Amino acid sequence: MRLDPDVLRDRLLEATGTVRIERARITGPLTLDGTEIRAIVRFDACEFDGPVSLEAASTLALSLTHCRVPGLRAPTAHFGGRVDLRGTTVEGGLNLVHAHIGGGLRLDGARLIHPGAVALDAGGLVMEGGVFCDGGFEAEGRVAFPGAQLPGGLWMRGARITAGEPGAVAFNGDNLTASTVRLSHGFSTDGRIRLRGAQIDDLLTLNGAELTGTGSSLMCVGARAEALDLRFATAPRGTVNLRNAHFTRIQDAPGTWPPSLGLDGLTYDWLESTAPRRRDDVTNRLAWLRRDDGYCPQPYEQLGLNYRRLGHDDEARRVLLHRQRRRRATLGPAGRLWGYLLDATVGYGYRPWLAGLWLALLTAAGWFVFRTHHPVPNKPGEGPPFHALVYTLDLLVPIGGFGQRDAWHWATVGPQSLAYALVVIGWVLTTAVVAGVTRTLSRN
C-alpha cells in the first residue's frame, strides 16, 4: 500500500482514538511541525521515502515499529504516552531535543544510522518513564543525552555505539539525571563515554562493557550515584576519570582496571574488596592508586578512611605510609633524604616499633663493645661503677640520664668514636620519632 504524505497528514489531524497503519509506503516527507494530533499513531513495518518531522508537535503516543525512516525529528515535541521505535531503522538521525515523553521511549533492536554525526540527539529530553535501548540496539554515530531527565532510567544493555573515531565522544550524558544508567552486559563502543556531573539515584553500571575509545574512555568528573559498577568485560583502552565524583558503593575488578585512572577528589563510603585476605586487598588497592598519574594525597586519605571506617587500622596505616613514600618522590634532595630517614626509623610515624628495633640493635652493639673496653673515670674513686649496658643507653637517650655518660671518658680513639656516634644517632633517632609521631597525630 502506498500513501501520499499530504493525505496521511490530513488523516492524522482529523483522527481520534487510534490510527494504525501497517506495511505501507509513505511516498515523501511527512511534516507535522506544530500540529496537535488527538490520536494514538501506530506505524508497523512501514517504509518512509522522506523524513518525518514533528517539531513542536503534540500527540497522545507514537509507535513506529519495524519501520525504515530517513530521519525522524521531534525537537520540543510533546508525547502524552509512549514513543515506540522497536526494530526500526532511522537513517539521518533521531532528534528528541527538549522533547517531553509522558511514557517510555522504546528503542529495543532499533538501528540509528548517521555516521560521523549525532545518531540520537536527546539533549534536554524530559521523560516520565524510562529509555530502553536493549535487545540489539545499534547506533552508527554519536548518542547524546546531555541534561536529560530520565526518572525511569537509561537501559542500554548489550547496545553498540560506533562513533567511527576512537577519540570521539560516542556517548554524551553530561549533567543528566536518572534513576539508573545501565551501560552493561555486552554494551560496547569504539569512542569515549562522558557522564560529567551526572546525577544517578541508584546504579551506574558498566558491568561487562567493552570500551575501546582513547583519551578518557569513561569520564565521570563530578558525577554522583548510589552505586558504581566498573567490572568491565576487558580493560578500557583509555583513562577512567572519576575526579571529584561521589559514589556510596564502588565495585570493580583488578583484571579489568584501565591503564590510567583519575582519582583525585573521588569519595566513597564503601569499596568492594579485591581479595579474600585484607593484606592482599591493600596491595591491590595501592596498585590501583598508582594508576593515578602524578601524586595526589586525597586518594590515599580516602582509601585510609575507608579502612578505618571498617575497623582495619593496620591497613589504613599502611596506605598512609605509602602516601608519604609517593610524596617523597616529588621533593627536592634534602626533603627526600629526610624522608628516607623518617621511613627507615619510624615509618613516617606509622611504624613506631621500628624505633624500638633500632634502639635494641644499637644498645646491643654498644654493650658488646663497651663490656670489653672500659672508659676512664673522670674522678677516680667517685661516681657509680661502670655498667656497659646502662652507659650505652645513657648515650642513646638524649633526654635525662643514668649518671654514666658524665662520669666516664675515653682514653682510646675507637671506643670514643663509637660513643660519639651513639650520641649523634640518639639525637637523630629521637628527632625522627618526634617528627613522625607529630605528623601522624596531626593528620589523624
Side-chain angles (χ1 to χ4, degrees):
M1 180 175 62
R2 299 170 66 89
L3 289 176
D4 181 85
D6 292 332
V7 173
L8 177 59
R9 181 179 187 275
D10 293 340
R11 177 182 173 185
L12 294 177
L13 293 179
E14 294 171 358
T16 58
T18 299
V19 177
R20 185 184 301 274
I21 300 172
E22 298 179 353
R23 303 184 184 281
R25 181 166 186 169
I26 293 80
T27 58
L30 179 60
T31 303
L32 295 160
D33 296 344
T35 61
E36 181 182 358
I37 302 171
R38 295 180 296 275
I40 297 172
V41 180
R42 300 184 185 277
F43 293 93
D44 184 55
C46 294
E47 186 89 15
F48 290 79
D49 289 344
V52 176
S53 182
L54 290 157
E55 183 172 356
S58 64
T59 184
L60 298 182
L62 176 66
S63 173
L64 289 90
T65 55
H66 306 288
C67 298
R68 180 174 289 273
V69 187
L72 175 57
R73 298 183 67 257
T76 68
H78 188 282
F79 301 92
R82 184 171 69 173
V83 174
D84 192 347
L85 299 174
R86 287 177 294 174
T88 288
T89 298
V90 180
E91 300 177 0
L94 172 60
N95 187 326
L96 295 170
V97 173
H98 294 295
H100 185 283
I101 300 177
L105 172 59
R106 301 304 302 262
L107 288 162
D108 309 280
R111 289 190 67 204
L112 309 182
I113 304 172
H114 204 186
V118 182
L120 172 56
D121 194 350
L125 173 66
V126 178
M127 297 289 304
E128 299 298 330
V131 177
F132 300 91
C133 301
D134 294 340
F137 170 86
E138 296 182 24
E140 295 182 30
R142 301 188 295 275
V143 173
F145 284 92
Q149 300 176 38
L150 313 176
L154 175 60
W155 306 76
M156 300 191 74
R157 295 168 296 190
R160 184 173 68 181
I161 303 174
T162 305
E165 299 179 12
V169 177
F171 178 89
N172 183 354
D174 291 350
N175 298 307
L176 69 77
T177 58
S179 58
T180 184
V181 174
R182 307 201 177 208
L183 313 177
S184 58
H185 295 85
F187 174 91
S188 66
T189 177
D190 63 349
R192 298 159 52 202
I193 295 177
R194 278 201 342 211
L195 287 162
R196 294 187 301 185
Q199 305 291 316
I200 300 166
D201 296 334
D202 188 16
L203 175 64
L204 167 59
T205 176
L206 289 99
N207 184 13
E210 185 174 358
L211 311 183
T212 58
T214 58
S216 292
S217 293
L218 174 63
M219 179 178 288
C220 293
V221 174
R224 299 288 185 272
E226 177 67 19
L228 174 66
D229 190 339
L230 295 179
R231 293 175 293 177
F232 303 103
T234 59
R237 185 177 175 187
T239 301
V240 171
N241 192 337
L242 304 175
R243 290 186 172 93
N244 299 316
H246 175 77
F247 305 99
T248 302
R249 297 178 289 115
I250 297 179
Q251 292 177 281
D252 59 4
T256 63
W257 283 343
S260 178
L261 282 163
L263 299 174
D264 189 24
L266 170 66
T267 56
Y268 44 85
D269 297 331
W270 180 82
L271 191 61
E272 184 184 56
S273 178
T274 61
R277 297 193 307 171
R278 290 203 302 267
R279 182 178 183 83
D280 295 334
D281 179 58
V282 175
T283 300
N284 290 340
R285 285 300 172 191
L286 290 172
W288 181 63
L289 294 182
R290 285 194 294 272
R291 292 175 184 246
D292 193 353
D293 297 333
Y295 165 71
C296 297
Q298 188 274 338
Y300 288 88
E301 296 282 355
Q302 175 63 45
L303 183 58
L305 177 63
N306 177 72
Y307 284 122
R308 282 199 298 269
R309 188 183 293 116
L310 296 173
H312 304 157
D313 291 337
D314 290 343
E315 287 73 19
R317 285 191 290 270
R318 184 180 169 191
V319 169
L320 298 178
L321 172 59
H322 279 264
R323 175 200 63 194
Q324 295 294 344
R325 288 174 175 172
R326 192 167 182 189
R327 174 180 175 271
R328 184 172 64 208
T330 68
L331 303 176
R336 288 198 298 271
L337 180 61
W338 179 243
Y340 281 119
L341 180 62
L342 285 176
D343 196 357
T345 53
V346 290
Y348 284 97
Y350 299 110
R351 293 180 174 177
W353 53 267
L354 283 175
L357 180 60
W358 279 108
L359 182 63
L361 291 174
L362 292 170
T363 300
W367 172 76
F368 179 78
V369 173
F370 297 144
R371 70 174 182 168
T372 57
H373 298 78
H374 293 273
V376 178
N378 292 333
K379 295 181 180 181
E382 299 182 11
F386 179 75
H387 193 288
L389 181 61
V390 177
Y391 179 74
T392 302
L393 289 172
D394 213 355
L395 295 174
L396 284 171
V397 180
I399 301 173
F402 300 102
Q404 291 275 319
R405 182 171 49 192
D406 297 330
W408 303 87
H409 69 276
W410 291 95
T412 54
V413 176
Q416 184 182 39
S417 299
L418 176 60
Y420 288 156
L422 290 175
V423 171
V424 172
I425 293 172
W427 275 106
V428 171
L429 186 62
T430 300
T431 303
V433 169
V434 172
V437 172
T438 301
R439 183 193 302 272
T440 302
L441 291 177
S442 66
R443 298 296 292 184
N444 298 308

